Amino acid sequence: MWRYLRRDDRGRAALAGEASAAAAEALRGTGRPSGAYVPPLPAGAPPARRPEPPAAPPIAFFDVDNTLMRGASIYHFARGLASRDLFTTRDLLRFGWGQMRFRISGTEQAQQINAAREAALAFVAGHDVNDLVTLCEQIYDESMADRIWEGTHRLIHRHLREGQRVWLVTATPVELADIIKRRLGLDGALGTVAETVDGVYTGRLVGDLLHGPAKAAAIEALARHEGVDLSECTAYSDSSNDLPLLNAVGHPNAVNPDTALRDHAIERGWPVHEFRRHRAALRVGVPAAIAGAVAGGVAMSVLRRRARR
């Protein structure tokens, strides 16, 4: 079905969303028993009346970068690679500067999105999935765990106490998003999906980065699969670029918002949560997820070049 989708931004967004929901389900597992024995009905007995399935509990969706975690998760991963001497401090500073330029600009141009897309491909091309996951697990424990916003953590636990499920929705690669989910004891994670063949990344994305409209497509695909009413669900983000995600649910929230999202949220009466102690010193423009994808692209392209030597 994927090859028949239009190759424009809408088609890529839809494909990215569907792929992310499918990948999340594969990583999570259904948890359903297979081959369970069902005793036959006695002869002449009326068919058993199937009880109505209980309504699926609502889901709270959380963006990751600058919403759940200080900074870009993929950038912290790149720093972890640098600490292992897998590339130089100069390389780290170079794409760190690129990240800062994205943040300060406050706008996204088509060429910037295309550059982020290409960088995301370079991020994983030619590398073994299990190797990347192992590195992600180590680096999360070393340098990401203490970057979770305490206030966002409280929001998450409030939803869990109320019997709701919590899912992450991020442009970060789905493998890294799944590690964060598992470390925090959450229910699922939607992230950017890179194509693999025989356990190795091909250097192609399935659709596009999970960004902007693709996030909305992902949660809509998940809701269809899970039988969830999105009007009963909640979403949290720091960026106006996530307005498609926020508008797709019944209870949108702004967390550490950029100026455009803050104004939008205040105008519509959405809750605004500010967990930054020094807001002026942490100005957020373009989502760190996109900047982080560029950063990660440089990191992995350097790794790939070194592996060829």
Side-chain angles (χ1 to χ4, degrees):
M1 177 184 72
W2 291 347
R3 68 179 180 273
Y4 296 111
L5 286 171
R6 294 169 54 199
R7 299 305 298 169
D8 57 10
D9 288 342
R10 182 177 298 179
R12 285 194 296 264
L15 178 53
E18 293 283 353
S20 183
E25 182 64 23
L27 286 168
R28 182 178 60 156
T30 62
R32 297 171 183 165
S34 59
Y37 172 71
V38 179
L41 291 171
R49 186 172 182 179
R50 186 183 300 274
E52 290 294 325
I59 299 175
F61 297 101
F62 284 80
D63 173 48
V64 172
D65 298 338
N66 289 321
T67 302
L68 173 68
M69 176 184 298
R70 295 193 302 276
S73 52
I74 202 73
Y75 178 70
H76 298 312
F77 174 63
R79 288 183 60 189
L81 295 179
S83 71
R84 288 160 170 77
D85 297 324
L86 294 175
F87 58 95
T88 68
T89 301
R90 181 179 178 181
D91 294 321
L92 183 64
L93 291 175
R94 181 172 59 178
F95 58 71
W97 168 246
Q99 181 189 41
M100 185 175 70
R101 286 176 56 201
F102 270 107
R103 283 180 159 191
I104 292 174
S105 68
T107 59
E108 290 186 14
Q109 304 297 328
Q111 62 267 29
Q112 293 174 332
I113 297 299
N114 289 334
R117 183 182 299 124
E118 294 302 316
L121 300 181
F123 175 76
V124 295
H127 289 270
D128 184 273
V129 175
N130 291 331
D131 291 345
L132 182 65
V133 169
T134 298
L135 281 173
C136 287
E137 289 175 336
Q138 295 171 359
I139 293 169
Y140 176 85
D141 293 337
E142 293 170 3
S143 60
M144 298 185 194
D146 60 353
R147 295 181 180 275
I148 303 298
W149 293 109
E150 182 180 347
T152 306
H153 204 226
R154 289 196 298 269
L155 290 173
I156 286 172
H157 279 275
R158 186 186 72 187
H159 286 286
L160 294 175
R161 285 195 303 269
E162 292 175 355
Q164 299 182 19
R165 292 174 290 170
V166 175
W167 280 66
L168 303 180
V169 188
T170 175
T172 289
V174 67
E175 292 84 2
L176 178 54
D178 187 70
I179 289 166
I180 299 172
K181 176 266 291 186
R182 287 191 280 110
R183 290 296 194 267
L184 295 179
L186 309 182
D187 295 280
L190 298 164
T192 296
V193 178
E195 183 184 73
T196 63
V197 174
D198 297 329
V200 175
Y201 294 106
T202 66
R204 293 186 293 271
L205 292 181
V206 179
D208 211 338
L209 295 171
L210 198 72
H211 168 254
K215 288 188 176 180
I219 69 167
E220 288 164 0
L222 178 70
R224 288 193 299 271
H225 183 272
E226 300 279 326
V228 172
D229 182 356
L230 285 178
S231 68
E232 299 294 326
C233 294
T234 309
Y236 298 85
S237 177
D238 69 296
S239 172
S240 58
N241 294 287
D242 279 345
L243 282 173
L245 166 70
L246 296 171
N247 286 323
V249 301
H251 306 285
N253 288 251
V255 176
N256 303 327
D258 60 26
T259 301
L261 179 57
R262 178 179 291 273
D263 292 345
H264 189 91
I266 291 173
E267 179 181 344
R268 285 158 179 75
W270 296 355
V272 176
H273 310 271
E274 181 59 70
F275 302 133
R276 297 168 293 191
R277 295 180 181 177
H278 305 290
R279 185 170 184 271
L282 291 169
R283 181 181 176 188
V284 178
V286 172
I290 294 296
V294 175
V298 176
M300 276 300 183
S301 63
V302 171
L303 282 175
R304 195 167 66 252
R305 289 197 304 270
R306 288 172 180 258
R308 291 171 178 166
R309 293 177 181 174

